[in-house]
Amino acid sequence: MKPLASPAGDALVAPLDVLRQYRAHDATLTGFLAARVAAHPDKPALVFEGETWSYRQLDQRIGLTADWLAQAMQVGPGDRVGVLSTNHPSTVVLMFALARIGATMVPANPEYRLDEALYVFRHAQVCGLVCAPGTLATGAAVAADLGGDVWLRANEDGDHGVPTLAASIAAHAAQPANAAPGVDSDRSTALIIYTSGTTGFPKGAMHSHRGYVLTAEAFVGRLHLQPDERVMCVMPLFHINALMYSVGGALACGGCLVLMRRFSASSFWRFAAESGATEVNLVAAAGSILARRPRAEFVPGHRITKMFIAPQTQEMVRVMKQEFHVPRLIECYGMTEIPGVIANPFNGPHKLGTMGLISPHPDPAVPVPEARIVDDDGHDVAPGAAGELLIRTPTLMQGYYRDAVQTEAAFRDGWFATGDLVRQDSDGYYVFVARKKDVIRRKGENVSGAELDRIFGEHPAVEEAAAIGVPADLGEEEILLAVQFRPGQSVEPGELLAWARDRLAVHKLPRYVVAVDAIPHTPTHKPAKHKLKADGTLFARAIDMAAASH
C-alpha cells in the first residue's frame, strides 16, 4: 500500500489500496460484507451504547435475522419491510438481512405523524414493520390500516406488549435450521428511500445493491477513510447520508461504525471523545448549532480529524478548525437520487461555498460520474453561466417506486435532472445557485431563496430564516421573509433589512417580513417552503416594509 502525505504529515493509505485489502466481490451487500468478514472477523464493526459487535458477530446476527425473515415471516425476494425508529443497530442488521434474501428495506422518519407514515408504508406496500418503542403506536395504527397480513415488531424491550425482534429471532433460531435463500443479483433493490416531498407527496427512490456498494466504496475516496477509521453516525438512518456514507463507508474501509441514537448538540463532543470517533458527517444545521453551543460542552480530547458537511459558512469553518480543532471540513453536494457525485477534493484545494468537483470511485475501472449544466431548452450553457444540473452516474437510483410518471419526468435522455441551478467557476468547481423551484422572480430578476435563507440566517439574533415568493401587485412576485429568532432575542424588521443591505443587492431585499415561532422542516431538515406558502395567515401577519418606509 502506498502512503499519501496529509497536511499534518501523517501517512494515509490510498483509497484504492484500502479497498484492495479485500477480496473481489459480486457488488451485492452480502458479498461486500463477506469480503470484510473474511479479512478481519474479530475486528470491531459496530459500537452502540457500550456494546461492541465484531464483524463476525454482525454477520452472524444478519444471518439469523435473514433466516427468521425468510422462514418464519415468509419474506421473500422483492418484498419490502418498513422501519420507523431512531438510530439503532437493528436497522443496520435488517438492511443487510433483507438484502441477503432479495428483499428491500424502507426506512422512514420516526417523527412522522400517522398520516405521513401511513402514506409512505402504504405506497411502499410493506409486509412488515420494525419500530422503536416510541413509534409503536404509529406503527400499530399503520399495520392495522394496511391489513392483518402486515406484521409488527419492536426493536427494543419495553412495556409495550409487542414482540421484539431479538426475541422472535432467538425463538426461531432454536428451531431446526433452514438456510435463507440468497440473492445473486447486484441489480436487486436494496433500499427505497422516500424523498422529503417539498412539492407534494414523497417519492420512493430505489437503490440497487450495486449502487449502494459503489457509493460506500466511493466515500472511502471522498474522505480518505482509513482501515482503523471510527465513523461517528449521528444523522438518521432513514437518510441516504447515514445509510450509504456513514454505514457503508465505515464497512467499506473495514473500520468501525460508532452509532449515536440521535444527534445531540449538548453531548456531541463528549460522545465523540468517549467513542474515539475519527470522522463524522453532518448537515449544515447541525454544524451551525454546534458552532453556537456553549464552549463548556466541548471536549478537547476528541480524535475527529475530518467532517463531511455542507453547505459551510466562514464562521462555521473558523469555529470547527480553530476552536474545535477539526483540520478538514469537506463541502459536498448530493441528493437522495444521486449519492456520491460531487465534493471538494480531500487534498484540496478546498473552495468554501462550492459544491466541489466530480468525485470518482477510487477504482478507475468504475465509470466516472458525468455532469452537464443546461438551459431550459436542454442546451449546454456558456462557461460560467447558470443552468440546471444534469447527472449521469453509476450510483443513480433505479427510479421512483410505483411512479412511472415522476420517474420519466426526472430523466432527460438518460441524464437525471436535479432541479438545481448551478454554475461552474473558472477552476471548474460547481457552485450552487438555487433550486429551480426556489427561485423568486422579482422585477425581472431571479432571486435565490436559498441565498436569502443563508444571509439572513447569519444574523446574530436569527435562528433560521426562509424566503418565499408571494404574488406582486403588478405580476411576478415579491419576497416574503419568515424569521425564527433565537430564544430571548428579536430584531425590528427595519433593523434586519438595514443589516442586510451591505450583503444583498437592493432587488433581493424582502418586501415583507414576518416573525414565526418555528420554521417548518422537511424530514431532511430543509425549510418546508411549501408549508409556508400554504399558511394563509403568514402574509396577513407580515409587515410590509414598502408601506413602513412611507
Side-chain angles (χ1 to χ4, degrees), residues 279-359:
E279 191 274 341
V280 67
N281 305 335
L282 295 174
V283 292
S288 297
I289 290 170
L290 288 173
R292 292 181 172 182
R293 293 292 298 182
R295 296 302 187 259
E297 295 172 353
F298 177 66
V299 180
H302 77 83
R303 295 175 51 211
I304 293 177
T305 61
K306 45 199 173 186
M307 285 184 173
F308 192 63
I309 181 170
Q312 297 173 13
T313 64
Q314 287 185 342
E315 178 63 9
M316 182 196 300
V317 172
R318 184 195 68 78
V319 170
M320 290 296 179
K321 289 188 174 183
Q322 296 181 16
E323 297 189 42
F324 296 157
H325 313 299
V326 179
R328 290 185 191 264
L329 280 74
I330 304 299
E331 198 163 4
C332 56
Y333 168 84
M335 293 180 67
T336 301
E337 294 89 342
I338 49 166
V341 173
I342 296 174
N344 269 256
F346 184 79
N347 283 321
H350 300 151
K351 299 191 71 172
L352 182 64
T354 73
M355 299 151 60
L357 302 170
I358 289 294
S359 183

Side-chain angles (χ1 to χ4, degrees), residues 3 5 27 48 66 77-78 86 183 189 194-195 205 267 270 287 335 351 394 419 425 434-435 510 543 550:
F48 180 74
T86 51
V183 56
T189 301
Y194 277 78
T195 63
S267 59
R270 176 177 54 81
M335 293 180 67
K351 299 191 71 172
D425 68 12
R435 287 288 294 170
I543 295 175
H550 295 307

Side-chain angles (χ1 to χ4, degrees), residues 12 18 33 46 54 171 180 196 237 250 252 255 259 290 350 404 452 518 522 529:
L12 296 180
V18 171
L33 180 61
L46 189 152
S54 70
S196 53
L237 288 174
L259 192 60
L290 288 173
H350 300 151
L452 302 186
T522 69
K529 295 192 176 183

Side-chain angles (χ1 to χ4, degrees), residues 248-274:
L251 299 178
C253 71
C256 180
L257 179 73
V258 180
L259 192 60
M260 195 174 189
R261 192 176 288 266
R262 61 175 63 82
F263 172 72
S264 168
S266 62
S267 59
F268 179 91
W269 293 112
R270 176 177 54 81
F271 182 88
E274 292 176 352

